[in-house]
Amino acid sequence: MNQNKLFQRTRIRLAFWYAIVMGLILTACGFGFYTAVSHAHSEALDRELEFAAKSLHNNLELKLNQPEKLSPIVKEVLPNICVVETGCISEKSVSQRHILNAINQGYYVRLFGNSGNLIATSGSLPQTQSLDLNKKLWQTIEDDTGNFYHQMSLELHTKDNRDWGYLQVGRNIADVNSYMDAVKLSLLVGLPIAMMMVAFASWWLAGLAMRPIYQSYRQIQQFTADAAHELRTPLAATQATIESVLLMPDLDIKEAWDILATIKRQNQRLTSLVVDLLMLSRFDRESIDLQRELCSLNDIIDDLIEEFAAMAISAKVTLKSEISVHKDVNIIGNSEQLYRLFSNLIVNAIQYTLPSGEVTVILDSYESDAEIRVKDTGIGIPTQELSHVFDRFYRVNSDRSRHTGGSGLGLAIAKAIVVSHHGSLELQSEVNKGSTFIVTFPLLQPSRTILIKKGL
Ligand code: ADP
């Protein structure tokens, strides 16, 4: 396939588009994955922070009496609190009640008055000069050392519901950021590697997808060459006959009749070849609109035995039928084609059987199948040729078959007819012992047979 420029170019183009489409899908998936992970982490962070901030807020509000004033009991809730006016209080014993102790380290708390003045702080605060209050519920801030923090701001009230000020709870998000950076890095490194793998896979898949197309392309090429070769022989013979006639100074009536008979023979051969080719091409298009009717296999076999009796006699071959079933074996099909199928098999059997040999057509009927065997005691077919005899223009022995007038299309047509009737065609053969062609057709159910006979 790679030697053929058209197929090579198509394969490259197909692989390229595969890779582009797969690459875009992979990139979109990677981006989607990153967004989903980042969103899940930021949601988890928000929930964690919200839980801490609201718990602290509810606890503090129960202990605040005066606006902007911290009651001593507050230090039970906030460990190591640093009050702007008085300095830091160092708690020795850490009580279970300290809400922030229950959460990871890295949290900080800031308490602001109503006018935004900083009152107290606790925990690992951002290293920033600006102590202004930002009242937005959620914020992400960067401190002077480049660390990022996420924080939540809530209003605080005293026990008797007067405005106390504001509570800000936040935490360092370096761990979340570094995790997301690791995810981003692995995607950035993984994506080009995946793209390279996709490119290789695309090349391989494109080859795989094109293999059957290439095979049928080769078959068509072979078929065209074989058909041209077969057509050339009778055409060349006709041409030679006509040229020889033109060279004759005068022609008597007897010679003219002989020449015309030769041309007629060659013309007949051409016509039958063209008819066979047309038939095969119609089968190939699968658009063949067969007229189907109820066909009796018993009748077809009887007719053909009668038709080919003379041929068998002149070939000194015994032709007979064995119909063991005593009822009509019917199938739905095209009788013209069924005649063609069995005559191809019977003619072959007679032609490839030596004088004093025997050709038997056997009809059997099973539960759901009808079986027709065309059996001869002829020259047989070598085992290595068995799988090829149904190929178009294939002849086991070219010279021998040409002598019989065969073009190598007979069995290909027989096979196409069997397939179009949903049947199967098998071949058993042994050199110098004979061949048996076994045709099987699905049998028409008796109830359907009655309906069809009644024309329903
Ligand atoms: P042809 O028209 O040349 O007979 P077919 O397609 O009918 O072409 O058959 C293909 C080949 O199979 C023939 O060339 C012949 O060699 C072989 N063949 C077919 N039927 C028989 C048979 N009954 N016995 C032996 N050889 C056979």
Side-chain angles (χ1 to χ4, degrees), residues 178-422:
S178 76
Y179 177 76
M180 288 316 297
D181 284 346
V183 172
K184 200 187 289 177
L185 187 71
S186 44
L187 282 176
L188 286 178
V189 174
L191 215 60
I193 296 174
M195 288 292 283
M196 265 158 56
M197 283 160 70
V198 162
F200 278 120
S202 304
W203 176 251
W204 179 71
L205 281 175
L208 211 63
M210 286 177 59
R211 202 168 298 157
I213 304 170
Y214 184 67
Q215 265 163 10
S216 56
Y217 168 80
R218 286 298 303 272
Q219 271 171 7
I220 292 167
Q221 266 190 336
Q222 185 65 44
F223 179 72
T224 315
D226 289 343
H229 181 78
E230 287 300 325
L231 289 169
R232 199 182 57 182
T233 314
L235 280 174
T238 312
Q239 175 81 3
T241 313
I242 293 168
E243 274 169 10
S244 67
V245 173
L246 288 177
L247 288 176
M248 285 182 182
D250 33 40
L251 206 64
D252 64 37
I253 190 81
K254 163 112 181 42
E255 279 172 332
W257 272 108
D258 287 348
I259 288 159
L260 282 176
T262 311
I263 293 176
K264 187 181 168 208
R265 234 185 6 260
Q266 284 152 359
N267 207 37
Q268 261 169 355
R269 188 164 149 67
L270 258 182
T271 311
S272 77
L273 199 64
V274 170
V275 168
D276 286 356
L277 285 173
L278 269 176
M279 190 170 197
L280 278 171
S281 92
R282 282 176 68 210
F283 276 116
D284 282 347
R285 275 185 279 132
E286 285 172 16
S287 59
I288 194 153
D289 196 12
L290 284 182
Q291 198 198 329
R292 299 199 183 243
E293 69 260 319
L294 194 66
C295 302
S296 158
L297 293 176
N298 314 51
D299 292 349
I300 293 176
I301 291 169
D302 285 343
D303 288 353
L304 289 174
I305 294 288
E306 213 177 297
E307 191 178 324
F308 292 111
M311 185 184 178
I313 291 167
S314 75
K316 299 190 177 65
V317 169
T318 313
L319 175 63
K320 57 178 177 131
S321 67
E322 271 176 26
I323 302 179
S324 48
V325 278
H326 299 295
K327 54 174 184 163
D328 258 4
V329 182
N330 295 315
I331 64 162
I332 288 287
N334 181 284
S335 59
E336 200 182 311
Q337 287 194 355
L338 292 174
Y339 272 102
R340 177 72 202 268
L341 157 69
F342 293 117
S343 48
N344 279 7
L345 297 181
I346 294 170
V347 168
N348 274 350
I350 296 172
Q351 276 176 343
Y352 299 112
T353 300
L354 298 174
S356 79
E358 210 174 85
V359 174
T360 319
V361 184
I362 306 153
L363 173 64
D364 269 318
S365 159
Y366 302 106
E367 205 173 304
S368 57
D369 297 314
E371 189 183 85
I372 306 96
R373 272 174 287 157
V374 180
K375 189 175 165 193
D376 64 57
T377 55
I379 54 172
I381 300 167
T383 317
Q384 69 274 15
E385 310 270 2
L386 289 179
S387 57
H388 300 295
V389 288
F390 297 104
D391 292 350
R392 290 162 193 197
F393 296 113
Y394 192 85
R395 298 184 183 101
V396 173
N397 181 330
S398 206
D399 294 343
R400 184 192 66 186
S401 299
R402 209 179 282 280
H403 176 71
T404 65
S407 59
L409 289 177
L411 288 182
I413 290 175
K415 178 101 189 182
I417 294 173
V418 170
V419 170
S420 81
H421 282 74
H422 312 292

Side-chain angles (χ1 to χ4, degrees), residues 147-214:
N147 285 323
F148 282 88
Y149 297 83
H150 194 55
Q151 66 184 27
M152 187 183 195
S153 302
L154 295 168
E155 282 179 13
L156 268 180
H157 300 95
T158 59
K159 260 195 232 169
D160 49 2
N161 210 22
R162 283 177 292 157
D163 289 345
W164 187 93
Y166 296 91
L167 163 73
Q168 232 172 35
V169 178
R171 64 161 280 201
N172 189 324
I173 53 170
D175 56 339
V176 178
N177 282 353
S178 76
Y179 177 76
M180 288 316 297
D181 284 346
V183 172
K184 200 187 289 177
L185 187 71
S186 44
L187 282 176
L188 286 178
V189 174
L191 215 60
I193 296 174
M195 288 292 283
M196 265 158 56
M197 283 160 70
V198 162
F200 278 120
S202 304
W203 176 251
W204 179 71
L205 281 175
L208 211 63
M210 286 177 59
R211 202 168 298 157
I213 304 170
Y214 184 67

